[in-house]
Amino acid sequence: MAGDSDLSRIGISLPENLLVKFDSIIDKRGYSSRSEGIRDAIRSYITYYEWMNDVSGERQGVITMVYDHDQRGLMEAITEIQHGNRGIVQSTIHSHVTDERCLEVILVRGDAKALKELAERLMALKGVESVKLTTIKIQ
Ligand code: NI
């Protein structure tokens, strides 16, 4: 496996607004370069996924999601997915953050694999800004 010292160069395309936000964060956090910020972001992404994959057994948790209120059909799709998973979705809190953004907190309980699948399905929807699954062990 290649260590962190073996650097590969990649080219990526990003929406302008995403890059502007990212640059403002790395500036506030004092990164010396954009590359350094991107390396750190990729490490966090990998850590989060590895953590998600380590989760197993019967769990209680919350899915926190932020999404675009104006994305056509998105609210209906989110509701449909939750209805389809009513065996594990216990309750939902919806907060209208701004005219354009919604925050939804979904209380879930069930097998870790099913909870992760639900989080990943929500994450894959167009117009969803972020999805985070946090769980605790039951007993
Ligand atoms: Ni809303």
Side-chain angles (χ1 to χ4, degrees):
M1 203 174 123
D4 270 10
S5 53
D6 306 317
L7 296 177
S8 299
R9 186 174 289 272
I10 57 163
I12 53 171
S13 306
L14 293 173
E16 181 71 28
N17 62 345
L18 192 60
L19 191 59
V20 168
K21 274 191 214 166
F22 186 77
D23 281 345
S24 115
I25 292 168
I26 61 173
D27 186 49
K28 276 185 209 139
R29 298 192 67 187
Y31 284 101
S32 59
S33 70
R34 190 183 262 165
S35 285
E36 198 193 325
I38 290 171
R39 281 195 289 272
D40 227 30
I42 293 173
R43 279 189 207 106
S44 297
Y45 183 86
I46 291 168
T47 303
Y48 178 66
Y49 266 85
E50 286 177 345
W51 175 81
M52 286 242 299
N53 282 324
D54 279 347
V55 174
S56 64
E58 194 70 5
R59 314 284 293 197
Q60 172 86 51
V62 286
I63 293 172
T64 308
M65 64 185 300
V66 179
Y67 62 90
D68 180 0
H69 170 83
D70 296 326
Q71 178 69 48
R72 232 187 143 99
L74 179 57
M75 283 179 31
E76 291 80 355
I78 291 168
T79 306
E80 271 311 300
I81 290 173
Q82 291 188 46
H83 271 268
N85 286 276
R86 61 189 175 279
I88 55 173
V89 172
Q90 300 187 303
S91 183
T92 303
I93 301 169
H94 183 105
S95 172
H96 314 291
V97 183
T98 62
D99 282 350
E100 304 86 23
R101 289 168 91 212
C102 299
L103 169 70
E104 202 149 305
V105 180
I106 309 164
L107 188 63
V108 290
R109 184 178 175 128
D111 182 66
K113 192 166 173 275
L115 304 187
K116 283 184 281 189
E117 273 168 20
L118 172 60
E120 273 158 19
R121 275 191 74 191
L122 293 168
M123 217 177 282
L125 296 171
K126 194 168 182 244
V128 173
E129 195 180 300
S130 65
V131 173
K132 197 138 204 167
L133 170 66
T134 313
T135 67
I136 54 162
K137 238 187 219 150
I138 298 171
Q139 287 297 322

